[in-house]
Amino acid sequence: MTQLLVVMPPNKDVWDGVLLISCFLQAGLVFGALRSFGVFFPEFVEYFGSAAGSVSWVTSCGVAVQQLMSPLGCALALRYGSRPVVMFGGLLASLGMFFASFATSLPHLYLSLGGLSGLGWALIFSPSMAAVTQSFTHRRSLATGFVLTGVGIMSFALTPLLQYLVEIYSWRGALLLLSGITLHSVPCGALLRPHSEESRGHSRSLLWGWELLCEGAFMRYCLAITLINTGYFVPFAHLVAHMRAKGVGEQHAALLMSLVGVADVGGRLFAGWLSDFIPRHNLPLLSFWTVVTGVILGLLPLAINSVEMGLSVVAFGFCAGALTPGVFSALPRVVGNQKVLPALGLLQMIESVGGLLGAPISGWLCDLTGNFTLSFAVSGTFLVIGGLIILMLPGICYKSSDSENTDPDKSLKISSEHLERKTYSGQKSESLDQPNGNQNRQVPILKDPLMIQVVSDLPLIDRTSQSENRTKNVLLSSDSTDQLELNIGNGSPPRERTDQSKSSLN
């Protein structure tokens, strides 16, 4: 008699839904706020009487610290769990904006918005995205795209709201109110599922993951994302100022930035669906969206009227939103599932160089030329070069070597015919008859938890010797909570799998 038992985490689907909603709000509160800081740019230039290049460091410091301190956020999440780390990060981000509302000089803004809020954003974003990437093995791109749509939606809502608050309460009052909005990251962090001690202890061995710096594929990926990051945030810092220099009113400019947020949402959802539809082409799709975004950004200053500006910002928002989920969903294909968390931290730390230099370079070029035309052209060039470097990764334009083969989903793609011929974990396989009794099948003894779903779908029929009845027990165990026990004996037909065994991995 065959018995099939799969022990899954309780209420996994419920926790996955809560995880998506929580991370959706957290992503919006982090980068939705960062994208909306362009509203404050003209106000800072006027109030402090500083050049555009100097004011640009405010946003750049926030982006750079958020990315530079991502390894710290990942390490703390591995040690203490994501819930307390994200909650503490929300408190720091809110305090940074609160202190910024009392700033009397640009260095005060660098320290408060750039330093304190940036550190809080690092403790929020990286643990949240790593949790989504690790929780969803199937439909990962769609889940990531859904979470990151929070950025576009929050940007769409915050940009006109902050412009209105600036007009009513000045930039100080607007920052003070934004501090209260950001504080909602604390209850969002409380919704995250606590990590078990077992999984936390297993992950602690991957702390920081410095060995990834010796992997050529990962370093090329980091170089590409760093170049992309150099140009990506420039429009969100300077597009409002560019449109106002073109004669567009303040409210109209804020409305056009809101259109970027709306298009961003559509781009993220579409790209997430497309990546899951053709999952083996995540990296080429990321390269495609990046190059198109760079071209649109470089041509954006050619728009001279409101209609052309509206069409150009919508096109930019859609493509810029489409490339973002690919950065995270393609990472497991570069380093493997087990190294996602440390790899994400290191990636964001390295790409912080681009986030730090992008907006100041754009502001310096604006001070040099008197407009943002050259700034946007250079920023678009960074994106195009980054997209082309992605095509140099293993398995895209050339066959990857054994040392660079890091496809984490390889075990899930093995066909049933391949399973019949292979024996895994160095153990012998057992021959079992087909239902018609004409063929024998080789059923591998597996220890890899990723193979459980594949093996459970194979028909298992016991074989009784003419001389004696034998009982075979196959136990599949792993470090995760999923366990599968197959008991074969006494010539009885196999029993249907229980309802718990039909639970599918996300």
Side-chain angles (χ1 to χ4, degrees):
M1 181 178 296
T2 301
Q3 295 180 350
L4 190 60
L5 176 62
V6 177
V7 180
M8 299 292 291
N11 301 322
K12 185 177 186 301
D13 292 338
V14 175
W15 277 112
D16 286 344
V18 172
L19 174 66
L20 286 177
I21 295 174
S22 174
C23 295
F24 170 89
L25 295 174
Q26 292 163 21
L29 291 172
V30 172
F31 283 102
L34 271 172
R35 287 185 171 195
S36 303
F37 277 175
V39 171
F40 296 109
F41 183 83
E43 305 298 328
F44 292 158
V45 170
E46 180 181 356
Y47 183 86
F48 295 106
S50 301
S54 299
V55 176
S56 298
W57 283 102
V58 176
T59 304
S60 293
C61 286
V63 174
V65 172
Q66 181 270 319
Q67 295 172 338
L68 181 65
M69 301 306 293
S70 289
L72 176 62
C74 294
L76 291 176
L78 287 172
R79 178 63 180 87
Y80 301 104
S82 298
R83 176 184 288 177
V85 173
V86 171
M87 294 175 67
F88 182 64
L91 180 61
L92 291 181
S94 178
L95 285 176
M97 295 180 187
F98 176 80
F99 292 144
S101 65
F102 298 99
T104 58
S105 64
L106 283 180
H108 292 172
L109 292 178
Y110 299 157
L111 293 175
S112 56
L113 287 178
L116 194 56
S117 291
L119 177 59
W121 292 328
L123 300 183
I124 295 172
F125 187 72
S126 294
S128 301
M129 292 308 304
V132 173
T133 304
Q134 290 180 318
S135 297
F136 290 85
T137 55
H138 297 315
R139 300 184 297 277
R140 177 184 288 135
S141 297
L142 185 59
T144 305
F146 171 79
V147 167
L148 293 177
T149 56
V151 177
I153 292 176
M154 193 63 70
S155 176
F156 169 75
L158 282 180
T159 302
L161 175 61
L162 290 178
Q163 183 65 54
Y164 172 78
L165 294 176
V166 166
E167 295 176 358
I168 301 299
Y169 302 108
S170 79
W171 63 268
R172 295 185 184 275
L175 276 176
L176 188 62
L177 293 173
L178 183 59
S179 171
I181 296 174
T182 304
L183 193 60
H184 287 78
S185 296
V186 175
C188 289
L191 294 176
L192 294 179
R193 186 178 188 180
H195 292 173
S196 65
E197 291 295 330
E198 180 181 358
S199 62
R200 201 182 306 165
H202 174 72
S203 299
R204 197 177 294 125
S205 62
L206 299 176
L207 189 60
W208 299 99
W210 294 110
E211 69 276 4
L212 291 170
L213 298 178
C214 299
E215 296 186 7
F218 177 69
M219 293 307 298
R220 287 197 294 273
Y221 190 72
C222 288
L223 175 61
I225 302 304
T226 300
L227 292 173
I228 294 171
N229 202 41
T230 304
Y232 184 84
F233 288 99
V234 168
F236 300 104
H238 296 152
L239 189 55
V240 171
H242 167 72
M243 290 186 289
R244 290 179 62 174
K246 290 286 187 179
V248 178
E250 296 179 357
Q251 290 292 341
H252 195 183
L255 177 62
L256 289 177
M257 282 300 297
S258 297
L259 292 179
V260 175
V262 174
D264 180 277
V265 173
R268 291 171 192 264
L269 291 176
F270 177 77
W273 169 83
L274 185 62
S275 296
D276 283 331
F277 186 73
I278 45 176
R280 300 186 64 180
H281 297 83
N282 285 348
L283 289 170
L285 285 175
L286 174 60
S287 176
F288 169 77
W289 291 119
T290 301
V291 171
V292 173
T293 303
V295 172
I296 294 175
L297 177 57
L299 298 177
L300 193 146
L302 299 179
I304 56 177
N305 56 51
S306 298
V307 175
E308 293 177 353
M309 287 184 181
L311 292 176
S312 61
V313 299
V314 167
F316 169 78
F318 184 88
C319 295
L323 75 87
T324 308
V327 174
F328 300 99
S329 61
L331 186 59
R333 302 193 66 85
V334 179
V335 301
N337 280 326
Q338 297 298 324
K339 296 183 180 180
V340 168
L341 189 55
L344 180 59
L346 285 175
L347 172 63
Q348 294 218 311
M349 183 185 71
I350 295 172
E351 69 172 332
S352 66
V353 177
L356 179 65
L357 299 178
I361 291 175
S362 176
W364 177 76
L365 291 174
C366 176
D367 294 334
L368 186 66
T369 62
N371 56 61
F372 288 98
T373 301
L374 182 59
S375 300
F376 288 166
V378 172
S379 301
T381 302
F382 281 122
L383 285 163
V384 172
I385 296 175
L388 295 178
I389 292 178
I390 293 176
L391 295 178
M392 299 170 58
L393 291 171
I396 298 181
C397 291
Y398 65 93
K399 185 177 180 180
S400 60
S401 62
D402 294 338
S403 61
E404 292 182 319
N405 187 9
T406 56
D407 186 357
D409 298 325
K410 182 178 180 181
S411 59
L412 290 177
K413 300 170 186 174
I414 300 177
S415 63
S416 299
E417 294 180 357
H418 187 67
L419 286 175
E420 295 174 8
R421 298 179 177 88
K422 295 291 183 181
T423 301
Y424 294 84
S425 302
Q427 300 183 25
K428 295 182 179 181
S429 60
E430 297 294 336
S431 297
L432 301 178
D433 287 339
Q434 290 281 11
N436 56 17
N438 294 329
Q439 300 179 8
N440 288 337
R441 302 187 64 179
Q442 299 294 323
V443 178
I445 298 178
L446 304 174
K447 291 187 178 180
D448 189 350
L450 293 177
M451 304 298 295
I452 293 176
Q453 184 69 23
V454 179
V455 175
S456 62
D457 290 335
L458 297 177
L460 300 177
I461 307 297
D462 69 325
R463 181 181 183 182
T464 305
S465 174
Q466 294 180 356
S467 59
E468 60 178 353
N469 291 332
R470 297 178 301 175
T471 300
K472 307 283 185 184
N473 293 317
V474 180
L475 179 61
L476 300 176
S477 60
S478 64
D479 292 336
S480 66
T481 58
D482 299 341
Q483 294 183 355
L484 178 66
E485 185 176 3
L486 307 177
N487 298 317
I488 306 173
N490 298 329
S492 302
R495 187 165 54 182
E496 293 293 332
R497 289 185 291 176
T498 63
D499 292 339
Q500 289 181 334
S501 69
K502 298 178 181 178
S503 298
S504 60
L505 297 176
N506 284 317

